[in-house]
Amino acid sequence: METILVTGGTGYIGSHTVVQLLESNYNVVIVDNLSNSSKAVLQRVEQITGKMPTFYQADIRDEQALTDIFNKHKVSAVIHFAGLKAVGESSQIPLEYYEQNIYGTLVLCQVMAKSGCKRIVFSSSATVYGDPASVPITEQFPTSATNPYGRTKLFIEHMLSDLHQSDPEWHIVLLRYFNPIGAHPSGLIGEDPKGIPNNLLPFVTQVAVGKRTHLSIFGNDYSTKDGTGVRDYIHVVDLANAHLKATEKLERLTGLRKYNLGTGQGYSVLEIVMTFERVTDEKVPYEVTERRPGDIAECWADASLAKAELNWSAQLQLDDMLVDAWRWQSGNPDGYAS
Ligand code: NAD
Ligand code: UFG
């Protein structure tokens, strides 16, 4: 049985990926410092899969801790989720973002190289396309960054690319996620943001559950179908599945590969609110406010490369994403602290 080390494995996307890895009979070793997640995730994962992953509460910047873990387990590949991800916060504390994301990945790769494990799947983001000139976005589009978070993703992509150039034994997949939402259909694991959510979906579900009075829609004067921002929302279960396909691909890969992970379909903020109300029968009061600085009008993926090379495509629809997000939120109003 192969062992996959998952950094950030108790986090939102990590936990859903861990479930699928366990269900596919991989051994899973999680490294997470719990800075943005809860240990309670582990029991929930066990409830779903009947298996408990090996867990280390450790920081990816801690070279000694990582070395000990790699000495203890014969790791065949790493799926690397750990890092900080809040766009707005990254402008307030940029050094923290550079240290955790870039330095963290550097230490991880150094330890991997020393231990002889040279296979990695990395969580990148559609943010590396900056403000795209057109949609849908293919992997060939020019990259740029508009905030420190995006710059860390872009820099790590370059770093991994240089690493592969220097030593072709490195097998690397960069996954550029569009907008992950939804939760496991069991309602046992889901997104549990600390404090006020930055992202649309957790805000919508927190309004519906009564934790917040109303949603602010950031601008309705974009040149989009109804004036509100358009994004490519993807079910976290579909996203997790792409990591299994990418891990399989690592075995027969030559070269570094990059894939967009989205559905290829864009929905506006108003469409999200209306669809959520329809499928859950809950009300989401909202008011339209100013545009949020740094937001782009629209962004959706051309995900045909992932289909062609990974044999992966998103299977779940917007209704599924919203029903599952609501099952998680309504069953766990205070997330894992519920
Ligand atoms: P998350 O915060 O839920 O998960 C990240 C996990 O990493 C958390 O459990 C956190 O405790 C852990 N962590 C953070 N810094 C660490 C460190 N230094 N050492 C060890 N563990 C550490 O976030 P997520 O939504 O699951 O995102 C996972 C990855 O996907 C991130 O790299 C993120 O940038 C990327 N991504 C997320 C989105 C999104 O909208 N959720 C979009 C594009 C890309
Ligand atoms: N929005 C609102 N009100 C809110 C929150 C969001 O109207 O309270 C709107 C935004 O203006 C945008 C849309 O909802 O039009 C989606 O916003 P999110 O914050 O949920 O997502 P973003 O597309 O801004 O960013 C997300 C991740 C980034 C990642 C990017 C591309 O947060 O980390 O997708 O993958 F880089």
Side-chain angles (χ1 to χ4, degrees), residues 58-84:
D59 197 294
I60 54 166
R61 294 166 295 171
D62 184 342
E63 188 180 347
Q64 192 55 54
L66 280 187
T67 303
D68 292 346
I69 294 165
F70 275 88
N71 284 340
K72 204 155 168 209
H73 300 272
K74 194 177 168 327
V75 176
S76 48
V78 172
I79 305 181
H80 177 31
F81 294 104
L84 304 182

Side-chain angles (χ1 to χ4, degrees), residues 60-118:
I60 54 166
R61 294 166 295 171
D62 184 342
E63 188 180 347
Q64 192 55 54
L66 280 187
T67 303
D68 292 346
I69 294 165
F70 275 88
N71 284 340
K72 204 155 168 209
H73 300 272
K74 194 177 168 327
V75 176
S76 48
V78 172
I79 305 181
H80 177 31
F81 294 104
L84 304 182
K85 63 163 185 177
V87 173
E89 183 189 64
S90 78
S91 296
Q92 287 145 18
I93 49 167
L95 297 183
E96 197 61 28
Y97 273 69
Y98 289 117
E99 174 168 340
Q100 301 243 5
N101 293 3
I102 298 179
Y103 177 67
T105 304
L106 180 75
V107 172
L108 173 67
C109 291
Q110 285 172 332
V111 174
M112 287 176 68
K114 278 189 202 142
S115 83
C117 172
K118 296 183 177 177

